[in-house]
Amino acid sequence: MEEEIDNRKINNSFLRDHNYATEADIISTVEFNSTGELLATGDKGGRVVVFQREQESKNQPHRRGEYNVYSTFQSHEPEFDYLKSLEIEEKINKIRWLPQQNAAYFLLSTNDKTVKLWKISERDKRPEGYNLKDEDGRIRDPSTITSLRVPVLRPMDLMVEATPRRVFSNGHTYHINSISVNSDYETYMSTDDLRINLWHLEITNRSFNIVDIKPANMEELTEVITAAEFHPHQCNTFVYSSSKGSIRLCDMRAAALCDNHSKFFEEPEDPSNRSFFSEIISSISDVKFSHSGRYLMTRDYLTVKVWDLNMESKPLETYQVHDYLRSKLCSLYENDCIFDKFECVWNGSDSVIMTGSYNNFFRMFDRNTKRDVTLEASRENSKPRAILKPRKVCVGGKRRKDEISVDSLDFSKKILHTTWHPSENIIAVAATNNLYIFQDKVN
Amino acid sequence: MCNSVRCNTSFLEEVMVENKDGQSWSSVDCYVHERELVLSLCLDKLQGSQVPSLHRSVLLANTMRHIQREMTQEGPPENLCSRQISQSQMAMPLRTSESQLQPPDCIPTLSDMDRGGVDLTCSRCAEEVEIEMDVSFFPSGFITSSTSTPFTDKVFTDSLIGLMSLPEAGNTQGYLTDLALDDIFDDIDTSMYDSSEMSSFMTCVFCSVSHLFGGDEETKDLPDCPSASSMQCSPTDLNDIMEVLVGLV
């Protein structure tokens, strides 16, 4: 399949590459870096695992750049807030890569309270031949040294080390749900339920509060911030989404505190669909700018919406992710699934959008052809290098052979986190504690 | 937390008879029944949450408020009171005493709220009937009462013990376990209640929701409780309440 053409059809023929089972813990975030060479995952245990794509070799052309483990490190540890008697989970909520500026890689990872900047660097040489200490590291007695030598660098086995370079703590009272790196590559923002803070990457003891929706009287609290992101090109622009289904676009040039939005995106509620759960399912769980910066995508419980930044009154496109759940909302409310927060992602050319669902299904929508496909991430249903078969959920009436009925869906298997390579058709899908990487087939 | 692996149709969906469009109820009773179910689930979730999440609590509280608004707009249907009361999931009002209930500083409030007393007294209701709210609505929060009550020696321990068992409230376990639960209800004098007082029951449920996120100020100005005039219950219903209450213990 051609990758240069933007208006290509959705390719159903994603191959499964590898299945990396992270035994202990549930994956809580996945993110490609800006070149797609690296893929980072964070898990509930506070660990970050970074995968690196193999260089394509002429000897094995069919191995089209598979991803192997590059570095693993413990990013966050569980903490206990003694003042409030609360445990602070070590679960990594979000990872965001910084653009690469030298040989080392930098990423931001955050748990509920603290953001950390990690440097991942390679070491493949080490100095040998010191004068004052011998090879074991023991100090040599200076009186025994009769001649001087110059230490030389000798090759060693490649070692990848991760070191925390900055720790941005004590910025948030509430739980951090998003971080976003600014296009100026100097600042980033961290978002919790009620506030958004702007940090400089070099400065850890100070941050600026740019949005604060905490009411003076907490009894009047009816809305929280659910996600936020910087515009990909305009360093003064960002958006944040709310639990009431609205998105606010703010311009940092207008005021120091961006409580007043520049644009307000909200779709009026459809009265025919009103139910007790209308507000809960309208809560936006993820917001993403398109790579072009012209569009916004939002995910609420049942739909994905694409907004044009120039039109605030209604979305440009609405895609039903799993509308068959609309009649099951009471049960989903009972078992708490209605509060699940699904992420959504653009492909590199902004022509296809992807989001997760239940039963380890994930959905892709082609914005140009309006076609969509449902795929499944599971070991049982796909062998390595096999082409993924499209799945279908049967809504009622007669169930066809390969279809799954709504009542058979497994709601404990949910795909909340997905990411798409910035330029190629490679996707990473987190299914509980398994990571699936799918690549476009090679012709 | 997704407890059930399969999404079983709830009992309500079996009971309901839906029209063709699937959205409208064939009888008002089904709608009211579902509304009560959603409401009681709201309370359960707000109370029983192991991991407090502000986002989730706000959504639940908004849902409750919406249902309350709808119910008060409709006005009290007949027998609504007894139907409400018969649901054992609904918390029962009881007294608390400020003197016996000093909130330990280490009890967490929801999502790291500022520390402070959370006044759960529905002051209007308290003036009329001196019924205070069941603290068990709240995932983690504590009650203080600024009004004196006839039951100053009694503590509503059932919900408090439930509260104590939250993981975060570990070292306050010993505070209440010494109390014998039976002693608490020995000398409850039901003659204090008359039928008009039960009407404020429903309103107290919803007034206290507004305290869910509180903690910033010492005293709260409550939203206006709906008029406590119209719901009348007979003394036999009152006995039912007490039986259920004791049964809970």
Side-chain angles (χ1 to χ4, degrees):
Chain A
M1 180 172 117
E2 298 296 331
E3 289 174 8
E4 288 74 34
I5 301 174
D6 283 348
N7 57 349
R8 59 191 177 277
K9 296 183 287 187
I10 286 186
N11 182 19
N12 293 346
S13 56
F14 274 93
L15 301 178
R16 205 191 78 184
D17 226 349
H18 281 298
N19 173 22
Y20 301 100
T22 57
E23 248 101 35
D25 275 317
I26 296 167
I27 299 175
S28 50
T29 184
V30 281
E31 185 80 359
F32 277 106
N33 76 337
S34 51
T35 60
E37 182 200 351
L38 296 178
L39 172 68
T41 63
D43 65 24
K44 229 177 113 202
R47 272 188 308 273
V48 172
V49 180
V50 180
F51 299 87
Q52 185 186 44
R53 195 176 188 190
E54 255 179 33
Q55 298 302 320
E56 294 180 29
S57 71
K58 297 193 187 68
N59 299 337
Q60 295 179 308
H62 64 278
R63 286 173 68 90
R64 227 169 128 258
E66 295 179 350
Y67 284 82
N68 302 313
V69 177
Y70 178 64
S71 171
T72 304
F73 56 93
Q74 186 74 30
S75 170
H76 287 73
E77 298 276 2
E79 288 170 38
F80 193 76
D81 183 340
Y82 294 98
L83 192 64
K84 294 172 182 168
S85 277
L86 281 178
E87 198 178 272
I88 300 170
E89 277 190 0
E90 68 274 32
K91 172 168 78 95
I92 308 293
N93 293 334
K94 281 287 179 331
I95 289 176
R96 289 288 182 263
W97 290 94
L98 266 56
Q100 193 174 4
Q101 290 170 321
N102 52 34
Y105 304 102
F106 288 87
L107 61 79
L108 287 171
S109 71
T110 185
N111 69 347
D112 284 338
K113 293 289 182 183
T114 306
V115 185
K116 292 188 185 179
L117 175 68
W118 286 88
K119 174 181 175 183
I120 303 166
S121 50
E122 293 180 7
R123 193 198 291 260
D124 61 355
K125 296 182 190 46
R126 67 157 185 232
E128 283 178 21
Y130 283 106
N131 292 294
L132 291 177
K133 55 181 180 178
D134 57 24
E135 297 309 320
D136 299 335
R138 278 177 305 194
I139 309 290
R140 290 168 76 189
D141 182 2
S143 58
T144 63
I145 299 173
T146 52
S147 62
L148 289 177
R149 56 187 178 174
V150 178
V152 291
L153 290 175
R154 295 212 190 281
M156 59 180 258
D157 290 338
L158 176 67
M159 193 170 74
V160 180
E161 14 175 55
T163 45
R165 301 298 293 182
R166 304 272 188 278
V167 178
F168 305 91
S169 53
N170 299 321
H172 290 276
T173 307
Y174 306 101
H175 289 185
I176 298 176
N177 52 54
S178 317
I179 47 176
S180 177
V181 182
N182 203 348
S183 52
D184 63 8
Y185 300 157
E186 282 188 356
T187 57
Y188 76 94
M189 66 175 175
S190 56
T191 308
D192 67 32
D193 291 319
L194 298 179
R195 298 189 177 103
I196 302 181
N197 290 339
L198 182 72
W199 303 81
H200 193 283
L201 284 166
E202 300 291 328
I203 300 170
T204 58
N205 60 2
R206 201 164 59 223
S207 74
F208 288 100
N209 176 241
I210 53 177
V211 173
D212 188 342
I213 65 168
K214 182 179 177 188
N217 186 358
M218 280 298 277
E219 291 170 17
E220 292 161 6
L221 179 67
T222 56
E223 193 173 13
V224 297
I225 302 174
T226 52
E229 199 184 40
F230 268 117
H231 190 280
H233 313 307
Q234 297 168 16
C235 58
N236 52 281
T237 306
F238 66 93
V239 292
Y240 67 92
S241 60
S242 83
S243 56
K244 284 197 169 166
S246 63
I247 308 106
R248 289 169 177 80
L249 183 141
C250 299
D251 187 336
M252 292 197 290
R253 298 170 299 188
L257 191 58
C258 299
D259 279 354
N260 296 320
H261 52 263
S262 299
K263 288 189 193 243
F264 182 76
F265 300 86
E266 193 178 45
E267 183 174 28
E269 191 189 350
D270 178 5
S272 65
N273 271 337
R274 178 107 192 113
S275 75
F276 298 121
F277 313 107
S278 292
E279 177 165 342
I280 298 180
I281 63 170
S282 72
S283 172
I284 293 176
S285 52
D286 195 15
V287 64
K288 291 266 170 49
F289 273 104
S290 64
H291 291 92
S292 63
R294 182 150 171 225
Y295 301 105
L296 256 186
M297 170 165 56
T298 59
R299 173 73 156 99
D300 52 61
Y301 190 63
L302 296 178
T303 69
V304 184
K305 295 179 178 159
V306 176
W307 303 76
D308 187 321
L309 286 192
N310 299 318
M311 183 165 72
E312 301 167 55
S313 54
K314 61 183 168 80
L316 202 59
E317 299 150 21
T318 302
Y319 300 94
Q320 302 293 334
V321 181
H322 36 217
D323 201 52
Y324 44 80
L325 297 181
R326 199 177 286 274
S327 55
K328 306 283 180 199
L329 289 179
C330 198
S331 309
L332 295 165
Y333 173 74
E334 223 173 322
N335 63 16
D336 268 1
C337 285
I338 207 173
F339 298 105
D340 287 336
K341 295 184 195 166
F342 293 93
E343 292 172 10
C344 54
V345 70
W346 298 87
N347 75 336
S349 58
D350 298 337
S351 59
V352 182
I353 57 183
M354 175 169 73
T355 188
S357 178
Y358 293 105
N359 209 76
N360 278 352
F361 287 168
F362 56 99
R363 304 262 282 139
M364 288 187 196
F365 302 91
D366 188 322
R367 297 177 59 217
N368 299 321
T369 66
K370 301 302 179 203
R371 283 174 49 188
D372 61 81
V373 68
T374 305
L375 301 171
E376 182 177 0
S378 81
R379 265 185 269 203
E380 292 80 33
N381 290 336
S382 55
K383 297 190 172 37
R385 310 213 177 282
I387 294 174
L388 284 183
K389 209 174 51 170
R391 307 305 308 256
K392 194 141 166 39
V393 177
C394 149
V395 200
K398 207 159 153 41
R399 185 177 78 88
R400 290 204 198 96
K401 196 176 104 162
D402 283 337
E403 291 181 357
I404 294 189
S405 74
V406 181
D407 295 321
S408 314
L409 294 175
D410 188 344
F411 288 86
S412 67
K413 294 187 181 164
K414 47 194 99 171
I415 293 188
L416 303 173
H417 313 289
T418 57
T419 183
W420 203 308
H421 190 284
S423 51
E424 297 184 35
N425 273 357
I426 304 173
I427 57 176
V429 169
T432 320
N433 59 354
N434 291 326
L435 179 71
Y436 293 84
I437 300 178
F438 299 104
Q439 285 195 18
D440 203 0
K441 77 174 174 192
V442 182
N443 287 321
Chain B
M1 182 121 51
C2 196
N3 291 323
S4 57
V5 170
R6 295 275 181 254
C7 180
N8 299 315
T9 48
S10 74
F11 73 94
L12 186 65
E13 285 165 7
E14 291 162 8
V15 164
M16 269 168 14
V17 177
E18 290 181 8
N19 287 343
K20 277 186 202 150
D21 59 7
Q23 292 295 331
S24 57
W25 314 106
S26 65
S27 77
V28 172
D29 274 346
C30 285
Y31 179 79
V32 170
H33 198 183
E34 195 202 15
R35 188 170 63 190
E36 287 172 10
L37 171 69
V38 172
L39 179 64
S40 64
L41 283 174
C42 259
L43 294 168
D44 280 350
K45 286 175 192 300
L46 283 168
Q47 171 185 355
S49 170
Q50 293 292 316
V51 182
S53 151
L54 185 59
H55 175 230
R56 194 179 118 106
S57 305
V58 166
L59 291 176
L60 289 168
N62 288 349
T63 305
M64 278 182 70
R65 238 180 250 125
H66 163 72
I67 293 177
Q68 172 203 8
R69 226 176 289 133
E70 205 176 85
M71 285 167 113
T72 54
Q73 273 167 11
E74 282 174 7
E78 256 177 77
N79 300 322
L80 173 66
C81 184
S82 54
R83 212 191 314 169
Q84 287 291 346
I85 287 160
S86 66
Q87 284 190 19
S88 58
Q89 285 164 331
M90 298 292 279
M92 296 299 156
L94 261 196
R95 311 300 176 102
T96 61
S97 151
E98 183 180 15
S99 57
Q100 293 207 350
L101 215 57
Q102 296 304 318
D105 286 329
C106 56
I107 295 285
T109 53
L110 182 65
S111 296
D112 306 335
M113 250 17 97
D114 298 338
R115 185 70 38 202
V118 179
D119 183 2
L120 300 186
T121 310
C122 177
S123 59
R124 191 197 214 214
C125 304
E127 281 162 20
E128 293 173 355
V129 304
E130 298 176 305
I131 295 175
E132 292 171 21
M133 283 329 300
D134 177 5
V135 70
S136 62
F137 291 160
F138 306 91
S140 51
F142 223 89
I143 54 171
T144 59
S145 163
S146 55
T147 63
S148 63
T149 72
F151 296 165
T152 50
D153 295 327
K154 301 298 177 286
V155 178
F156 185 27
T157 58
D158 185 33
S159 59
L160 287 175
I161 286 177
L163 201 65
M164 292 305 125
S165 66
L166 288 178
E168 302 93 61
N171 58 348
T172 59
Q173 279 280 359
Y175 173 65
L176 291 170
T177 49
D178 295 334
L179 294 168
L181 291 175
D182 287 340
D183 294 341
I184 296 159
F185 303 101
D186 266 352
D187 46 356
I188 287 180
D189 183 2
T190 60
S191 65
M192 295 294 300
Y193 289 95
D194 68 9
S195 55
S196 66
E197 292 169 358
M198 295 316 302
S199 58
S200 61
F201 171 71
M202 277 290 294
T203 67
C204 286
V205 171
F206 299 108
C207 288
S208 61
V209 172
S210 64
H211 295 291
L212 180 64
F213 314 117
D216 290 338
E217 297 108 51
E218 305 236 336
T219 57
K220 301 280 179 291
D221 283 333
L222 291 165
D224 267 344
C225 295
S227 158
S229 59
S230 36
M231 279 192 262
Q232 298 291 327
C233 293
S234 64
T236 53
D237 288 331
L238 182 59
N239 290 334
D240 289 340
I241 299 166
M242 299 314 297
E243 274 174 20
V244 172
L245 175 65
V246 173
L248 274 177
V249 175

